[in-house]
Amino acid sequence: MSIALIVHGGAGDIKADRFEGAKAGCKEAALIGWRVLQDGGSALDAVEAAVRALEDNPNFNAGRGSCLNKEGKIEMDAGIMDGHTLNVGSIAGVELIQNPITLARRVMESEHTFLIGAGAQFFAREQGISLCRNEDLLTERQYEAWKHHTHSSLTYEAKTDTKQKKVQKHGTVGAVAIDSTGKLAAATSTGGMANKYPGRVGDSPLVGCGFYADEYAAISCTGYGEDFTRLMIAQRAAAYVAQGYDARQAGEAAIDFLSRHAEGDGGLIIVDRHGNVSKARNSKHIAHAYINEHMAEPVADIL
Ligand code: GLY
Protein backbone atom coordinates (compact mmCIF):
# COMPACT_ATOMS: atom_id res chain seq x y z
CA MET A 1 0.00 0.00 0.00
CA SER A 2 1.28 3.48 -0.76
CA ILE A 3 1.58 5.81 2.20
CA ALA A 4 0.59 9.48 1.99
CA LEU A 5 -0.18 12.41 4.27
CA ILE A 6 -1.50 15.95 4.01
CA VAL A 7 -1.76 18.59 6.75
CA HIS A 8 -3.40 22.01 6.91
CA GLY A 9 -2.81 25.10 9.01
CA GLY A 10 -6.11 26.84 8.40
CA ALA A 11 -8.02 28.64 5.66
CA GLY A 12 -9.03 32.23 5.03
CA ASP A 13 -7.41 35.40 3.79
CA ILE A 14 -3.90 34.78 5.06
CA LYS A 15 -1.79 37.95 5.15
CA ALA A 16 1.32 37.95 2.94
CA ASP A 17 3.63 38.43 5.93
CA ARG A 18 2.37 35.11 7.33
CA PHE A 19 2.82 33.04 4.17
CA GLU A 20 6.32 31.81 4.92
CA GLY A 21 5.65 30.97 8.57
CA ALA A 22 2.48 29.07 7.69
CA LYS A 23 4.15 27.14 4.86
CA ALA A 24 7.21 26.29 6.97
CA GLY A 25 5.02 25.14 9.87
CA CYS A 26 2.91 22.92 7.61
CA LYS A 27 6.00 21.45 5.96
CA GLU A 28 7.61 20.66 9.30
CA ALA A 29 4.42 19.01 10.59
CA ALA A 30 4.04 16.98 7.39
CA LEU A 31 7.61 15.75 7.75
CA ILE A 32 7.01 14.70 11.36
CA GLY A 33 3.91 12.73 10.38
CA TRP A 34 5.68 11.32 7.33
CA ARG A 35 8.53 9.90 9.41
CA VAL A 36 5.98 7.98 11.48
CA LEU A 37 4.51 6.45 8.30
CA GLN A 38 7.95 5.72 6.83
CA ASP A 39 8.90 3.87 10.01
CA GLY A 40 5.86 1.63 9.53
CA GLY A 41 3.74 3.54 12.07
CA SER A 42 -0.03 3.80 11.87
CA ALA A 43 -1.99 6.55 10.16
CA LEU A 44 -3.44 7.34 13.59
CA ASP A 45 0.01 7.89 15.12
CA ALA A 46 1.07 9.94 12.08
CA VAL A 47 -1.89 12.36 12.22
CA GLU A 48 -1.55 12.77 15.98
CA ALA A 49 2.18 13.55 15.65
CA ALA A 50 1.60 16.02 12.80
CA VAL A 51 -1.20 17.83 14.65
CA ARG A 52 0.88 18.01 17.83
CA ALA A 53 3.59 19.79 15.82
CA LEU A 54 1.00 22.26 14.49
CA GLU A 55 -0.40 22.80 18.01
CA ASP A 56 3.09 23.55 19.30
CA ASN A 57 3.68 26.10 16.54
CA PRO A 58 2.49 29.58 17.64
CA ASN A 59 1.69 30.51 14.02
CA PHE A 60 -1.50 28.47 14.14
CA ASN A 61 -4.79 28.79 16.01
CA ALA A 62 -4.53 25.52 17.98
CA GLY A 63 -2.72 24.61 21.17
CA ARG A 64 -0.08 27.34 21.62
CA GLY A 65 -1.33 30.25 19.51
CA SER A 66 -5.03 29.61 20.09
CA CYS A 67 -7.36 32.60 19.85
CA LEU A 68 -9.18 34.07 22.86
CA ASN A 69 -12.92 34.08 23.49
CA LYS A 70 -14.97 37.14 24.46
CA GLU A 71 -13.93 36.71 28.10
CA GLY A 72 -10.23 36.57 27.17
CA LYS A 73 -10.01 32.81 27.80
CA ILE A 74 -8.55 30.12 25.56
CA GLU A 75 -11.04 27.27 25.00
CA MET A 76 -9.84 24.57 22.62
CA ASP A 77 -11.52 21.77 20.65
CA ALA A 78 -10.06 18.68 18.94
CA GLY A 79 -11.13 15.41 17.38
CA ILE A 80 -9.44 12.29 16.01
CA MET A 81 -10.77 9.24 14.15
CA ASP A 82 -9.44 5.83 13.17
CA GLY A 83 -10.92 4.93 9.78
CA HIS A 84 -10.34 1.21 10.30
CA THR A 85 -12.13 0.75 13.63
CA LEU A 86 -14.37 3.85 13.26
CA ASN A 87 -13.35 4.73 16.79
CA VAL A 88 -13.49 8.42 17.57
CA GLY A 89 -12.39 10.76 20.36
CA SER A 90 -13.19 14.43 20.88
CA ILE A 91 -12.77 17.17 23.46
CA ALA A 92 -14.31 20.65 23.47
CA GLY A 93 -14.15 23.86 25.48
CA VAL A 94 -10.98 22.68 27.18
CA GLU A 95 -8.53 25.05 28.89
CA LEU A 96 -4.87 24.63 29.85
CA ILE A 97 -4.06 21.60 27.73
CA GLN A 98 -0.83 21.84 25.72
CA ASN A 99 -1.78 19.25 23.11
CA PRO A 100 -5.57 18.86 22.83
CA ILE A 101 -5.23 16.25 20.05
CA THR A 102 -3.46 13.86 22.42
CA LEU A 103 -6.24 14.31 24.96
CA ALA A 104 -8.77 13.55 22.19
CA ARG A 105 -6.79 10.40 21.35
CA ARG A 106 -6.91 9.31 24.99
CA VAL A 107 -10.68 9.86 24.97
CA MET A 108 -10.88 7.68 21.86
CA GLU A 109 -9.01 4.94 23.67
CA SER A 110 -11.32 5.13 26.71
CA GLU A 111 -14.98 4.17 27.10
CA HIS A 112 -15.95 7.73 26.08
CA THR A 113 -16.19 9.42 22.70
CA PHE A 114 -16.55 13.07 23.69
CA LEU A 115 -15.64 15.01 26.85
CA ILE A 116 -16.04 18.73 27.42
CA GLY A 117 -14.74 21.50 29.70
CA ALA A 118 -13.94 20.68 33.29
CA GLY A 119 -14.72 16.99 32.79
CA ALA A 120 -12.17 16.74 29.99
CA GLN A 121 -9.58 18.42 32.23
CA PHE A 122 -10.40 15.99 35.03
CA PHE A 123 -9.94 13.11 32.59
CA ALA A 124 -6.61 14.62 31.44
CA ARG A 125 -5.29 14.57 35.00
CA GLU A 126 -6.48 10.97 35.43
CA GLN A 127 -4.52 10.13 32.29
CA GLY A 128 -1.36 11.75 33.67
CA ILE A 129 -1.61 14.75 31.33
CA SER A 130 -0.75 17.74 33.50
CA LEU A 131 -2.40 21.09 32.93
CA CYS A 132 -0.19 23.78 31.41
CA ARG A 133 -0.19 27.49 32.26
CA ASN A 134 -2.19 30.05 30.29
CA GLU A 135 1.16 31.65 29.29
CA ASP A 136 2.12 28.37 27.58
CA LEU A 137 -0.79 28.82 25.15
CA LEU A 138 -1.13 32.59 24.88
CA THR A 139 0.75 34.47 22.14
CA GLU A 140 1.25 38.20 21.71
CA ARG A 141 -0.43 38.02 18.27
CA GLN A 142 -3.65 36.51 19.63
CA TYR A 143 -3.68 38.81 22.68
CA GLU A 144 -3.39 41.87 20.41
CA ALA A 145 -6.15 40.49 18.15
CA TRP A 146 -8.40 40.00 21.18
CA LYS A 147 -7.75 43.54 22.43
CA HIS A 148 -8.61 44.84 18.97
CA HIS A 149 -11.86 42.81 18.93
CA THR A 150 -12.77 43.92 22.44
CA HIS A 151 -12.27 47.59 21.66
CA SER A 152 -14.25 47.36 18.45
CA SER A 153 -16.91 44.97 19.78
CA LEU A 154 -19.72 47.52 19.71
CA THR A 155 -19.31 48.10 15.98
CA TYR A 156 -18.68 44.40 15.39
CA GLU A 157 -21.91 43.31 17.03
CA ALA A 158 -23.92 46.04 15.36
CA LYS A 159 -23.08 44.66 11.92
CA THR A 160 -26.06 42.96 10.33
CA ASP A 161 -24.27 41.67 7.22
CA THR A 162 -23.59 38.01 8.07
CA LYS A 163 -20.80 37.87 5.48
CA GLN A 164 -18.86 40.22 7.75
CA LYS A 165 -18.82 37.50 10.37
CA LYS A 166 -18.51 34.45 8.15
CA VAL A 167 -15.44 35.41 6.14
CA GLN A 168 -12.67 35.33 8.69
CA LYS A 169 -9.30 33.80 9.26
CA HIS A 170 -9.55 30.17 10.31
CA GLY A 171 -6.28 28.93 11.79
CA THR A 172 -7.60 25.49 12.68
CA VAL A 173 -5.07 22.71 12.02
CA GLY A 174 -5.46 19.14 10.83
CA ALA A 175 -3.88 16.09 9.26
CA VAL A 176 -5.07 13.03 7.33
CA ALA A 177 -3.01 10.00 6.33
CA ILE A 178 -2.99 6.49 4.89
CA ASP A 179 -0.48 3.99 6.28
CA SER A 180 1.30 0.98 4.79
CA THR A 181 -1.58 -1.32 5.74
CA GLY A 182 -4.09 0.91 3.92
CA LYS A 183 -5.67 2.26 7.10
CA LEU A 184 -6.83 5.88 7.16
CA ALA A 185 -7.01 8.43 9.98
CA ALA A 186 -8.00 12.07 10.49
CA ALA A 187 -7.30 14.66 13.20
CA THR A 188 -8.38 18.29 13.70
CA SER A 189 -7.52 20.79 16.45
CA THR A 190 -8.48 24.44 17.00
CA GLY A 191 -8.78 27.39 19.32
CA GLY A 192 -12.06 28.07 17.50
CA MET A 193 -13.28 31.41 16.24
CA ALA A 194 -11.58 34.58 17.49
CA ASN A 195 -13.66 36.41 20.13
CA LYS A 196 -16.15 33.53 20.18
CA TYR A 197 -18.98 33.34 22.70
CA PRO A 198 -17.85 31.43 25.81
CA GLY A 199 -18.81 27.79 25.41
CA ARG A 200 -19.22 28.09 21.65
CA VAL A 201 -18.12 24.93 19.83
CA GLY A 202 -17.58 24.76 16.07
CA ASP A 203 -17.15 21.84 13.71
CA SER A 204 -13.61 20.77 14.68
CA PRO A 205 -14.46 18.28 17.48
CA LEU A 206 -17.70 17.10 15.86
CA VAL A 207 -17.31 13.82 14.01
CA GLY A 208 -18.54 14.03 10.43
CA CYS A 209 -18.38 17.82 10.51
CA GLY A 210 -14.77 18.93 11.16
CA PHE A 211 -13.16 15.51 10.68
CA TYR A 212 -14.01 12.01 9.53
CA ALA A 213 -12.27 8.78 8.54
CA ASP A 214 -13.55 5.44 7.28
CA GLU A 215 -12.32 2.72 4.92
CA TYR A 216 -12.70 5.06 1.90
CA ALA A 217 -11.25 8.40 2.94
CA ALA A 218 -10.05 10.65 5.75
CA ILE A 219 -10.90 14.35 5.92
CA SER A 220 -10.02 17.34 8.12
CA CYS A 221 -11.84 20.66 7.71
CA THR A 222 -11.11 24.30 8.49
CA GLY A 223 -13.48 27.20 8.15
CA TYR A 224 -16.65 28.78 9.46
CA GLY A 225 -17.58 26.03 11.90
CA GLU A 226 -21.30 26.60 12.13
CA ASP A 227 -21.74 25.94 8.40
CA PHE A 228 -19.36 22.96 8.33
CA THR A 229 -21.36 21.53 11.23
CA ARG A 230 -24.85 21.84 9.82
CA LEU A 231 -23.74 20.57 6.40
CA MET A 232 -21.58 17.74 7.81
CA ILE A 233 -18.89 18.53 5.29
CA ALA A 234 -16.28 15.94 6.37
CA GLN A 235 -18.64 12.95 6.23
CA ARG A 236 -20.12 14.28 3.00
CA ALA A 237 -16.67 14.23 1.37
CA ALA A 238 -16.08 10.64 2.55
CA ALA A 239 -19.47 9.63 1.14
CA TYR A 240 -18.49 11.04 -2.27
CA VAL A 241 -15.38 8.81 -2.22
CA ALA A 242 -17.54 5.80 -1.29
CA GLN A 243 -19.66 6.63 -4.36
CA GLY A 244 -16.59 6.46 -6.63
CA TYR A 245 -15.04 9.93 -6.61
CA ASP A 246 -11.29 10.29 -6.07
CA ALA A 247 -9.90 12.55 -3.35
CA ARG A 248 -9.78 15.68 -5.52
CA GLN A 249 -13.30 15.21 -6.92
CA ALA A 250 -14.78 14.43 -3.50
CA GLY A 251 -13.11 17.39 -1.79
CA GLU A 252 -14.27 19.78 -4.49
CA ALA A 253 -17.80 18.37 -4.46
CA ALA A 254 -18.07 18.81 -0.68
CA ILE A 255 -16.80 22.39 -0.84
CA ASP A 256 -19.11 23.10 -3.78
CA PHE A 257 -21.98 21.85 -1.58
CA LEU A 258 -20.81 24.27 1.15
CA SER A 259 -20.77 27.18 -1.32
CA ARG A 260 -24.26 26.35 -2.58
CA HIS A 261 -25.84 26.00 0.86
CA ALA A 262 -23.99 28.48 3.08
CA GLU A 263 -22.16 31.77 3.19
CA GLY A 264 -19.32 30.52 5.36
CA ASP A 265 -15.93 29.96 3.84
CA GLY A 266 -13.15 27.46 4.47
CA GLY A 267 -11.58 24.35 3.10
CA LEU A 268 -10.57 20.75 3.70
CA ILE A 269 -7.82 18.22 3.16
CA ILE A 270 -8.55 14.66 2.09
CA VAL A 271 -6.78 11.37 1.41
CA ASP A 272 -8.54 8.47 -0.30
CA ARG A 273 -7.95 4.73 0.08
CA HIS A 274 -5.74 4.70 -3.04
CA GLY A 275 -3.34 7.20 -1.47
CA ASN A 276 -4.47 10.26 -3.46
CA VAL A 277 -4.24 13.44 -1.39
CA SER A 278 -5.97 16.70 -2.19
CA LYS A 279 -7.28 19.95 -0.74
CA ALA A 280 -10.30 22.06 -1.63
CA ARG A 281 -11.36 25.53 -0.53
CA ASN A 282 -13.79 28.37 -1.21
CA SER A 283 -11.69 30.71 0.93
CA LYS A 284 -8.83 32.71 -0.54
CA HIS A 285 -6.15 30.48 0.96
CA ILE A 286 -5.59 27.20 2.74
CA ALA A 287 -2.15 26.63 4.26
CA HIS A 288 -1.16 23.01 3.65
CA ALA A 289 1.65 20.56 2.94
CA TYR A 290 1.57 17.04 1.51
CA ILE A 291 3.87 14.16 0.75
CA ASN A 292 3.64 10.71 -0.83
CA GLU A 293 6.10 8.01 -1.83
CA HIS A 294 6.96 9.69 -5.13
CA MET A 295 8.22 12.83 -3.38
CA ALA A 296 11.58 13.52 -1.72
CA GLU A 297 10.09 16.05 0.71
CA PRO A 298 6.73 17.67 1.51
CA VAL A 299 5.43 20.40 -0.78
CA ALA A 300 3.85 23.32 1.10
CA ASP A 301 1.61 26.09 -0.24
CA ILE A 302 -1.11 28.46 0.87
CA LEU A 303 -3.24 28.13 -2.29
N1 GLY B 1 -13.52 25.53 12.15
C1 GLY B 1 -13.19 25.90 13.45
C2 GLY B 1 -14.28 26.52 14.19
O1 GLY B 1 -15.22 27.03 13.59
O2 GLY B 1 -14.24 26.52 15.41
Side-chain angles (χ1 to χ4, degrees):
M1 270 291 182
S2 76
I3 57 176
L5 174 137
I6 180 166
V7 308
H8 72 78
D13 187 355
I14 302 172
K15 288 205 179 108
D17 63 356
R18 297 199 51 237
F19 284 2
E20 290 316 311
K23 285 201 288 186
C26 285
K27 188 170 177 176
E28 184 194 14
L31 204 50
I32 287 169
W34 182 245
R35 288 195 186 117
V36 173
L37 295 176
Q38 271 189 317
D39 289 347
S42 69
L44 201 56
D45 285 344
V47 295
E48 183 189 353
V51 168
R52 281 180 66 99
L54 293 160
E55 288 175 338
D56 289 342
N57 187 325
N59 280 311
F60 302 111
N61 175 21
R64 177 167 161 68
S66 288
C67 63
L68 284 67
N69 70 11
K70 275 186 192 295
E71 287 184 319
K73 289 186 176 166
I74 291 175
E75 291 183 335
M76 301 168 291
D77 312 324
I80 190 164
M81 186 162 189
D82 179 340
H84 179 63
T85 60
L86 301 181
N87 284 335
V88 64
S90 292
I91 53 108
V94 167
E95 297 179 55
L96 306 180
I97 296 292
Q98 194 90 50
N99 290 110
I101 200 64
T102 292
L103 184 55
R105 171 100 186 246
R106 298 285 180 88
V107 171
M108 190 191 86
E109 288 164 351
S110 74
E111 72 268 37
H112 312 293
T113 55
F114 200 164
L115 294 174
I116 61 164
Q121 280 180 321
F122 189 80
F123 176 78
R125 282 195 296 262
E126 271 184 2
Q127 292 285 314
I129 298 175
S130 42
L131 301 188
C132 65
R133 301 167 308 164
N134 197 46
E135 305 90 274
D136 298 327
L137 302 173
L138 184 64
T139 59
E140 186 70 24
R141 185 170 71 87
Q142 291 291 10
Y143 181 63
E144 290 302 324
W146 175 74
K147 275 204 305 193
H148 176 76
H149 269 301
T150 305
H151 289 144
S152 59
S153 64
L154 284 178
T155 22
Y156 182 74
E157 292 197 0
K159 281 173 181 155
T160 50
D161 177 3
T162 50
K163 278 260 180 197
Q164 293 276 3
K165 288 197 274 183
K166 292 190 171 186
V167 181
Q168 300 191 4
K169 292 185 200 73
H170 311 290
T172 296
V173 305
V176 297
I178 182 166
D179 64 29
S180 58
T181 66
K183 291 175 185 151
L184 298 144
T188 303
S189 181
T190 192
M193 208 75 91
N195 209 35
K196 66 189 177 183
Y197 196 87
R200 176 267 184 192
V201 176
D203 60 315
S204 301
L206 299 179
V207 61
C209 304
F211 68 104
Y212 191 73
D214 61 16
E215 65 188 290
Y216 297 102
I219 295 98
S220 171
C221 300
T222 168
Y224 187 77
E226 280 69 6
D227 286 337
F228 278 73
T229 295
R230 67 193 179 83
L231 301 178
M232 299 182 69
I233 294 298
Q235 203 282 329
R236 193 170 293 278
Y240 285 131
V241 176
Q243 287 164 26
Y245 286 13
D246 67 18
R248 186 185 58 76
Q249 293 166 327
E252 285 177 1
I255 292 299
D256 180 56
F257 188 88
L258 172 74
S259 300
R260 284 188 285 114
H261 294 275
E263 291 180 338
D265 72 342
L268 59 79
I269 52 171
I270 176 167
V271 58
D272 67 30
R273 62 180 167 160
H274 302 299
N276 301 306
V277 295
S278 194
K279 51 88 178 73
R281 62 179 166 83
N282 66 0
S283 55
K284 194 166 178 188
H285 302 120
I286 179 167
H288 66 282
Y290 62 95
I291 181 162
N292 62 34
E293 282 175 327
H294 308 295
M295 298 163 62
E297 60 174 20
V299 167
D301 208 341
I302 56 121
L303 292 174

